[in-house]
Amino acid sequence: MSHDDDMIHLARAAQLSRERMEANLGGPFGAVIVRDGKVLAEGWNEVTSSNDPTAHAEVVAIRRACSEVGDFSLHGATLYTSCEPCPMCLASAYWARISRIVYGNTRDDAAAIGFDDAFIYDEMPKPPGERAIRMEHVPTPEATAAFAAWLAKPDKITY
């Protein structure tokens, strides 16, 4: 992608963030996914309008793009987003095999307007037993058997 193309798609992500925020659909975040010069999908923050805490702009765009192409992999695609992805959105981009992310505002800019995810970044490297959300490892034969069945499954689709 050229710098001009990047600026066009980044401007669209920012436009979505503003328009949808002003329509009271969610916070000021927008995203566009492009591959081979084609816009695959757009997304905007829908957390408060859908009562879905995972409905961040990037996740919404990834879901729509994957549906559009009929694949869970968006390899070769660029995610344009109005703000540096939060930990959930960044992880989603990795799982979707996004090849590149271009963003406008930083996570520090987001924190300055009340969207501070530093706590989550700080929690991630901690051992599970030291995190704010109580986590308990309780191994079960059923869980182990499901993993063994996956390992032995000849027709599995790996991802």
Side-chain angles (χ1 to χ4, degrees), residues 85-155:
C86 75
M88 176 184 68
C89 294
L90 182 59
S92 298
Y94 275 104
W95 279 111
R97 312 302 195 270
I98 297 282
S99 297
R100 182 171 172 247
I101 299 172
V102 179
Y103 61 93
N105 296 310
T106 68
R107 68 186 195 187
D108 292 333
D109 297 330
I113 64 163
F115 294 92
D116 191 353
D117 51 19
F119 173 75
I120 300 170
Y121 281 103
D122 293 344
E123 285 286 290
M124 296 302 293
K126 291 180 182 177
E130 296 176 17
R131 294 181 183 150
I133 295 177
R134 183 175 167 182
M135 296 181 68
E136 299 175 26
H137 177 219
V138 182
T140 66
E142 297 83 4
T144 301
F147 272 25
W150 171 259
L151 189 61
K153 185 174 171 48
D155 61 342

Side-chain angles (χ1 to χ4, degrees), residues 29-82:
F29 303 96
V32 178
I33 298 178
V34 178
R35 183 165 60 189
D36 299 326
K38 178 185 177 202
V39 174
L40 300 180
E42 297 179 338
W44 48 89
N45 184 285
E46 299 178 16
V47 170
T48 57
S49 59
S50 67
N51 294 317
D52 179 354
T54 69
H56 289 200
E58 298 91 338
V59 172
V60 170
I62 288 168
R63 289 172 180 161
R64 289 178 179 155
C66 288
S67 180
E68 175 67 24
V69 302
D71 197 348
F72 56 82
S73 175
L74 297 174
H75 181 74
T78 299
L79 169 62
Y80 294 92
T81 180
S82 62

Side-chain angles (χ1 to χ4, degrees), residues 7-23:
M7 296 308 292
I8 289 167
H9 297 304
L10 199 53
R12 177 62 181 154
Q15 179 185 18
L16 287 166
S17 75
R18 177 92 184 243
E19 288 175 352
R20 299 322 195 261
M21 176 267 300
E22 289 178 346

